[in-house]
């Protein structure tokens, strides 16, 4: 039996391209699921803060934030968000930038590490991204995060304690240090088998091709390993 392919994803739950990239990876996995020899994968999400200096309660909408943060004219920001909304729709996601509540994401990342320790990281990642991009929910305050944690099956008391104590903040910082070591400056960034880097929200076919290629190489080397 071949070792599963490891996929490590650096992302921020407030990164629109990260949610699109996540969906495209899932579609790539669905496509290879019909193969005779289905590639086995282990997926782990890692923390990356796009705007660590953002306040928890930002006064304004996404256009206000990007116009101020990137110094872009409002019309250009609106055009950019319209483009991203269209790309997201192509991935099956209904982005609502008109509802989005911009916030600091460090607590959301702490929650993801807590969820990982409980075996629910993937469910928590999906819930946070959906809440942020499609439902206009606040994902920066502890009360709101505990509510979302409960929805995916985590214990609300344990989740609250983990967030209030900042117990998982060192794990968030460790992920960020690893990103710097890899030279990752933008997300999403996918590290496959610790050696192949894929940057950005690539189409599903890109993931299909890499997974099939790596899995075929594993199959080729498996008999040699057995013989050796």
């Amino acid at each position: 039996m071949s070792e599963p392919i490891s996929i490590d994803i650096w992302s921020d739950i407030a990164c629109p391209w990260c949610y699109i990239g996540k969906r495209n990876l899932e579609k790539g996995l669905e496509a290879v699921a019909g193969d005779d020899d289905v590639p086995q994968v282990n997926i782990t999400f890692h923390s990356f803060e796009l705007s660590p200096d953002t306040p928890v309660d930002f006064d304004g909408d996404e256009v206000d934030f990007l116009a101020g943060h990137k110094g872009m004219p409002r019309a250009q920001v609106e055009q950019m968000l319209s483009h991203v909304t269209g790309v997201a729709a192509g991935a099956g996601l209904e982005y609502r930038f008109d509802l989005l509540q911009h916030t600091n994401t460090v607590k959301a990342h702490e929650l993801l590490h807590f969820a990982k320790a409980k075996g629910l990281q993937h469910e928590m990642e999906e819930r946070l991204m959906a809440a942020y991009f499609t439902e206009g929910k606040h994902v920066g305050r502890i009360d709101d995060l505990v509510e979302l944690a409960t929805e995916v099956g985590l214990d609300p008391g344990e989740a609250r304690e983990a967030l209030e104590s900042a117990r998982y903040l060192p794990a968030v910082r460790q992920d960020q240090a690893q990103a710097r070591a890899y030279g990752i400056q933008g997300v999403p960034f996918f590290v496959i088998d610790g050696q192949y880097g894929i940057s950005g929200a690539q189409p599903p076919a890109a993931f299909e091709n890499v997974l099939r290629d790596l899995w075929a190489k594993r199959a080729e080397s498996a008999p040699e390993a057995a013989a050796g």
Side-chain angles (χ1 to χ4, degrees):
M1 190 65 192
S2 297
E3 278 284 308
I5 296 167
S6 67
I7 303 178
D8 291 278
I9 308 170
W10 270 263
S11 67
D12 193 346
I13 59 104
C15 157
W17 295 106
C18 293
Y19 200 8
I20 293 166
K22 178 177 180 294
R23 270 295 179 278
N24 288 348
L25 170 61
E26 288 163 358
K27 286 180 181 172
L29 289 168
E30 282 171 21
V32 300
D35 291 6
D36 290 337
D37 185 13
V38 181
Q40 301 300 305
V41 299
N42 280 337
I43 299 170
T44 306
F45 289 96
H46 298 275
S47 304
F48 191 101
E49 286 179 276
L50 281 174
S51 305
D53 55 346
T54 306
V56 171
D57 291 300
F58 176 76
D59 185 21
D61 62 14
E62 185 70 350
V63 178
D64 294 325
F65 176 78
L66 288 172
H69 191 69
K70 295 188 182 293
M72 295 162 63
R74 288 183 70 87
Q76 190 182 345
V77 172
E78 285 165 359
Q79 189 179 9
M80 186 177 75
L81 293 180
S82 175
H83 170 68
V84 175
T85 301
V87 176
L93 299 167
E94 189 185 346
Y95 278 9
R96 293 294 305 270
F97 285 111
D98 56 324
L99 300 177
L100 188 147
Q101 298 188 63
H102 205 83
T103 186
N104 189 290
T105 60
V106 71
K107 283 291 171 194
H109 285 296
E110 289 177 39
L111 179 58
L112 283 167
H113 278 279
F114 169 68
K116 180 184 175 186
K118 300 293 183 181
L120 288 169
Q121 189 194 39
H122 291 200
E123 292 83 354
M124 196 72 253
E125 181 88 15
E126 177 64 31
R127 188 67 197 95
L128 285 165
M129 286 179 156
Y132 187 73
F133 283 110
T134 72
E135 299 167 26
K137 294 197 172 186
H138 202 294
V139 298
R141 297 183 295 241
I142 289 177
D143 285 354
D144 300 276
L145 289 168
V146 168
E147 198 173 298
L148 293 170
T150 307
E151 287 180 26
V152 302
L154 291 163
D155 180 271
E158 287 184 19
R160 182 176 295 281
E161 187 279 326
L163 293 173
E164 288 179 348
S165 68
R167 186 153 34 102
Y168 288 93
L169 183 58
V172 174
R173 298 296 180 232
Q174 191 176 348
D175 275 353
Q176 293 168 329
Q178 182 65 65
R180 286 192 294 275
Y182 276 142
I184 298 170
Q185 295 178 320
V187 288
F189 197 92
F190 304 80
V191 177
I192 302 180
D193 267 355
Q195 52 186 324
Y196 301 97
I198 297 179
S199 179
Q202 299 294 329
F207 295 109
E208 276 182 62
N209 295 338
V210 171
L211 292 171
R212 285 195 174 115
D213 187 42
L214 282 175
W215 199 244
K217 284 178 180 168
R218 270 177 169 58
E220 286 167 18
S221 61
E224 293 166 22

